[in-house]
Every structure is written in C-alpha cells, then in structure tokens.
Amino acid sequence: MNWPTPRTSARIARIECLRSRRAISTSPIQLLGVALFALLFVGGPTIGGSYVAYRFAGSIIDAVPVLGVVRGSLALVWLVSTVLIAQRAVGKTGRIDNEAGLLTTVPASDVVGGLVLAEFARLVSVVAVPLLAVSAALSVGLRAPAAFLSVVSALFALLATALLVGHLVGLVLKTLFARSELLTRYRSVLAVVGFLVYFAAVSSQAFGRLLGRLFVLLQDAPMAWFGDLLVLGIPGVDPSPIRIAGATALFAVGVPLLVALDVRAATGLWYTDGPRPTVRKRAPSGSNAAFLSRIASGPTRTVTATIWSRTARTPFRLVYVAYPLLFLFVPLRGAVTSGQVPGSLPVLVALYGTWAIGAAALNPLGDEGPMLPLTLTSTVRGSQFVGGHVLSVTAVGLPVLVALTAIAGALSPLEPTVWVLLTAVSALLSVTGPIVAVAIGTVFPRFGTVRITHNRRVVVPSKRAFVYYTLVVAMGFVGAAVALVPGGATLVSNAIAFWSTLLVSPVELAPATLRLVGGVVAVSLGAVVPPVAYRYVVRRFDTYTLA
C-alpha cells in the first residue's frame, strides 16, 4: 500500500491546524469557550496536579494499590478518548474541505496522514502542558528522573493508539452511513435518539456503575498494559515485564497497522459513491390534516403545515432549543438517583418549556429561506403568517409543557396551589411567548446558514434575538414568581440587600413593593406586550420589502 509521505502529511496537518485556529480566532464566542476550557481543564489540572504530584506522590504510592489504579484509569482514558475521537471523525474530521481538488493533487494516504496528524496536534495542544508539568513534578517529588520518561512515553503511546482506533471507527461508521440509504434517511432521527440515550445515561446512576465496572474489567485488557509502562520509572512499584513488552509491541505493531487500515477506510469513503436515495413524495399525514382542520383554516393552516413539514425534513434546524437542557442535568440526576423530585425541578421544567416553545419560532423570516419572496407575494396576510407560526409551536409544545409541569409539581414537595399556579403561568406564557418571539425574530432576523457539523448547515436565529427573547421570558417568569409565589418577594428582597451590601451600600426594598413591581412586569409582558408585538409583526409582514 501507499504509506503517507511525512513531508506532505505534515503540510496538510499544518494547514488544517491553521484553519482551525483561524475559525476560532474569528468567533468571540468560540474564543471565550476556549479560554474557559483552558482555565478549567488545562490550568486547573496543571496547577493542582503538579502540587499533588510533588507533595504527596510518595504517600499515595504507599497507601494506594498504584498498579491496579493506573491500569484501570489508563484503560478508561483510552476508551473515552477513542469514543470522542470517533465522534469527531463522524461529525467533522472524517471529511475534508475541497475534497475533489485535494484528492486530485496528493494521494489519499497523504491526506489521511495530514488529518490524523492535525487531530493529534489538537489533542496534544490540550494535554501537553498538564502532562509535562505533572510528570516533571512527580519526577522531582519522587527524585526519580526515569519517572518523567516513563509517564510521558506511556501516555504518548496511549493517546496515539486511541487516536488511530477512534479515527478508524469514525471512518467506518461514516462509510456505513454514506452507503446505506436507510441510515442516510434516518440519520437525524438516530442522532436525536442517541443524544436522548446519552443524556438519560449520564443522568442516572447506571452511568457511574458502568464506569466502575469497566474500571475493574479493563485492568486486564491490552490497553491497560500501558499502565505498566507508565509506572516503570516509579520507585516502589513492580510492573509486569510481560505487560511492558506487550505495550511496546502494541504500539510498535499497532500504529503501522492502524495507519494502513485508516488509509483503506478513508479511500473507501472518499472514492466510493454512496447509494442515491430514491425520491419519495411525502404524503400529508391524515391525522395532522384532520387535527389542523379542527383548529385552523385557510392560509393559517397552510403556514402551520409548512412549518411542520420543514421541521420533519430538517429537525436539526431546532438543535439550539436543546442546548439549555444541560441546565436540567443536576436536578434530573438528583431526582433519578434519589427517587424524589426536588422543588426546583417543576420550576425549571416550566421555565425551559416556556422558553423552548417560543424559541422554536424565533426566526420566522429567516426560516423561509429562498421561499421568502413567494411567501411575501402570496395571499397569506400578516395575521395568518403570525397565527401559523404561533400555532405550529403551541399546538405541539403546550400540552407537553402543561403535562410535564403538572406531573413534576405533583411529585415535588411544592404545595398544590403553588404548582397549579406554576402550570397555569407556564401555559399562559407558552401562548404569549411565541408571539413575542416572532416579533423579536422579525426585528433581528438571520438569513444565512450556520455550520453545526462538518457537512451540515442550518439557519438558526440571530444572537441578538436569542438574548432579547431570553431576557423577556426570564423577566416575565421571575415577575410572576415574585408576585404570586408566597415568600418569593421576601427571598428577592433579602438577596438584593445581601448583594448590595457586598458591592456598594445596603439597599432595602419592601417585599410588598417587589410584589407590585413583579406583578406589573408579569402583566405587561404577558398581556400588554404580546398584542403590541402581534400588531407589529402583522404590519411588518404586510409591508415587508426585499432589499
């Protein structure tokens, strides 16, 4: 076979790294994310790990069965790294930009070598500083220079093999999706199901038990042999010479073999045409048509049906709605593990549900895409356009939100009057919120697409629309809670007094005043703002002109 040429592969890797750095540097949000990641997952482990390794390494070696812990830990690190790299290969790094031009210029083996080197460079950029710092601190603390070499060598071999295996698995999975018409048609559904399964797994104790089980089982697996290589230079630990030889052979033989398999898999993916899916006309659902005929008519029903069809074809256009689900992780995990629903869960469910229903209609003009001129010149009036968008999200989200909030409230320690009131407020805001969301999205539309995976671009709402809509929902929800929930105004009054004392000077507001202000804000955003927003969108749609 044709092996990757180191010089050409290094050039491709350098270009890929430059493109990654340029993409991050041009996005303030990505820069902020990288900075936070570096602070938490690079700076923290570097400082904390180096201190512990320098001061307490000897005590830890005497008190803990180091060899077994290192074997199990490295095996888990190898497995997790492999899964993450495979996921990246499926979603991003398995394909190359300007594929036709690059593959007709250099051999595919050089391209594979460049992509793998670039991915390894990204991985090293994250782990190099803490790895070298902790290894050096461990070597100094134990007064064993050989410890530095053994730790760095073992982790380098571990990450290199995990990278190659993960990239190979990702390419194989991507090939299966590319060649299977069935998987291609339902890949969006599979992605959503996979995310839900993952979220359910990490929210329960089963995930922790699984990791603990794997920690024990994988201590005898081949990837655990790198643990013996790691402790080779640490005094007081007796690794197995056979396992050290096995780890060395695994790296020496595995790397060339995995590179060859990687090149073969990439060649099959890049040079083989997948099946051309047959074009099937989507027949309108009889149940949906009957349901819509009972709640809407004419152009309003047409707008609603169009939005539902658009979402069914491209469910990833609503991927942003799922991001705040991460904030429900802690209460959901607590409810699942303890068997008791905390009092905060119904509130968070109501808040997220209210926000999500409106957020699904946050870009009414941009979602039309190239069909916007036809929509504007059709017989659809502004009132019907707004009604169709509001109906498309409330008809689906309102029953679900009311049911989930009521169930969570009934199972929680909240008083019945509180969770019933919470359910009613969330139902009201889930109807008025989409009207405000449509108005905000009309003021701040986004017509361009945003890349969410390597080969998938969708139209999502603008950042300003996100921020303003989120503030409106939060203000309405907090205002209603302060005005209606017993003790809510007192809690906010105490919080204002506490933080104002720390920052400037104490500010004391009577709970009655806060209850009045909260009521005014809630009524304004729930009853006054929606009609104004509705009239604005209707007038804007009827008089909209394309530049």
Side-chain angles (χ1 to χ4, degrees):
M1 61 162 290
N2 294 325
W3 291 94
T5 305
R7 185 182 183 88
T8 306
S9 297
R11 286 180 178 177
I12 296 174
R14 177 176 174 274
I15 294 173
E16 288 294 316
C17 292
L18 288 175
R19 294 176 69 244
S20 299
R21 187 179 66 181
R22 189 180 300 116
I24 295 174
S25 63
T26 55
S27 174
I29 295 181
Q30 290 192 31
L31 279 176
L32 179 60
V34 169
L36 291 176
F37 180 86
L39 178 64
L40 296 176
F41 299 102
V42 178
T46 299
I47 298 174
S50 299
Y51 178 78
V52 171
Y54 177 74
R55 292 292 303 272
F56 306 107
S59 302
I60 294 175
I61 291 175
D62 296 334
V64 176
V66 176
L67 192 55
V69 172
V70 170
R71 287 173 178 172
S73 300
L74 288 192
L76 280 180
V77 169
W78 187 93
L79 182 62
V80 172
S81 301
T82 301
V83 172
L84 292 177
I85 293 168
Q87 183 270 332
R88 281 180 53 83
V90 172
K92 187 174 182 180
T93 60
R95 282 287 185 184
I96 51 179
D97 292 332
N98 301 317
E99 181 178 293
L102 189 58
L103 292 178
T104 55
T105 306
V106 296
S109 57
D110 292 344
V111 177
V112 174
L115 294 180
V116 171
L117 284 177
E119 192 71 353
F120 189 75
R122 299 185 189 101
L123 183 62
V124 169
S125 66
V126 175
V127 304
V129 174
L131 170 61
L132 294 176
V134 174
S135 301
L138 178 68
S139 177
V140 174
L142 295 176
R143 294 180 174 83
F148 179 83
L149 295 176
S150 65
V151 171
V152 173
S153 300
L155 292 179
F156 173 82
L158 177 86
L159 294 176
T161 53
L163 171 69
L164 290 171
V165 173
H167 197 263
L168 176 61
V169 171
L171 290 179
V172 171
L173 292 176
K174 200 169 184 66
T175 302
L176 291 177
F177 276 94
R179 295 184 177 182
S180 172
E181 180 181 347
L182 182 64
L183 293 178
T184 301
R185 183 180 300 117
Y186 295 106
R187 61 182 177 182
S188 298
V189 177
L190 293 174
V192 173
V193 172
F195 172 78
L196 293 178
V197 171
Y198 167 77
F199 190 79
V202 298
S203 301
S204 65
Q205 288 183 334
F207 188 71
R209 290 196 297 267
L210 176 63
L211 290 180
R213 183 80 173 162
L214 289 175
F215 177 82
V216 176
L217 293 177
L218 294 179
Q219 290 185 15
D220 295 325
M223 67 279 294
W225 298 345
F226 293 108
D228 293 76
L229 181 61
L230 185 144
V231 301
L232 178 62
I234 298 178
V237 183
D238 297 323
S240 169
I242 298 178
R243 289 181 177 239
I244 293 176
T248 305
L250 185 63
F251 177 76
V253 177
V255 168
L257 178 61
L258 290 171
V259 170
L261 294 175
D262 218 344
V263 170
R264 188 176 183 85
T267 303
L269 174 64
W270 295 337
Y271 288 101
T272 302
D273 293 332
R276 182 171 297 177
T278 57
V279 179
R280 299 184 179 183
K281 294 183 178 180
R282 182 183 296 270
S285 172
S287 59
N288 289 345
F291 174 72
L292 281 176
S293 64
R294 290 194 297 267
I295 62 176
S297 61
T300 301
R301 181 174 58 190
T302 302
V303 172
T304 303
T306 301
I307 295 172
W308 286 355
S309 299
R310 184 190 304 145
T311 304
R313 288 194 304 268
T314 315
F316 271 98
R317 60 181 287 268
L318 297 180
V319 66
Y320 60 90
V321 177
Y323 291 156
L325 277 175
L326 297 176
F327 294 101
L328 293 176
F329 173 78
V330 175
L332 281 176
R333 181 183 179 88
V336 172
T337 55
S338 65
Q340 297 179 348
V341 177
S344 61
L345 185 59
V347 179
L348 293 176
V349 169
L351 178 59
Y352 167 74
T354 301
W355 178 89
I357 291 174
L362 197 52
N363 194 26
L365 299 178
D367 286 340
E368 292 293 323
M371 300 300 293
L372 180 60
L374 295 179
T375 303
L376 294 174
T377 56
S378 67
T379 57
V380 178
R381 297 192 301 271
S383 58
Q384 297 162 338
F385 181 76
V386 177
H389 277 80
V390 174
L391 183 61
S392 67
V393 294
T394 56
V396 177
L398 178 58
V400 176
L401 174 61
V402 170
L404 292 180
T405 305
I407 293 173
L411 297 177
S412 71
L414 295 178
E415 295 292 333
T417 55
V418 175
W419 66 259
V420 169
L421 189 59
L422 178 66
T423 304
V425 170
S426 62
L428 173 63
L429 291 179
S430 65
V431 175
T432 60
I435 301 176
V436 179
V438 171
I440 295 175
T442 303
V443 178
F444 305 106
R446 169 180 275 170
F447 299 100
T449 58
V450 175
R451 174 175 292 176
I452 58 173
T453 64
H454 185 68
N455 57 354
R456 187 184 295 271
R457 302 182 71 92
V458 295
V459 179
V460 298
S462 63
K463 297 182 181 69
R464 286 187 291 182
F466 266 124
V467 172
Y468 291 140
Y469 171 69
T470 303
L471 288 176
V472 168
V473 173
M475 290 172 60
F477 212 88
V478 172
V482 171
L484 299 176
V485 176
T490 303
L491 180 64
V492 175
S493 176
N494 294 336
I496 293 175
F498 174 76
W499 287 106
S500 61
T501 302
L502 293 179
L503 298 177
V504 187
S505 59
V507 176
E508 296 183 359
L509 295 176
T513 303
L514 290 175
R515 193 174 296 111
L516 176 62
V517 173
V520 171
V521 172
V523 171
S524 299
L525 296 178
V528 178
V529 174
V532 175
Y534 174 81
R535 286 194 293 269
Y536 167 79
V537 179
V538 170
R539 185 174 62 254
R540 178 63 173 161
F541 180 85
D542 291 335
T543 60
Y544 193 89
T545 56
L546 296 174

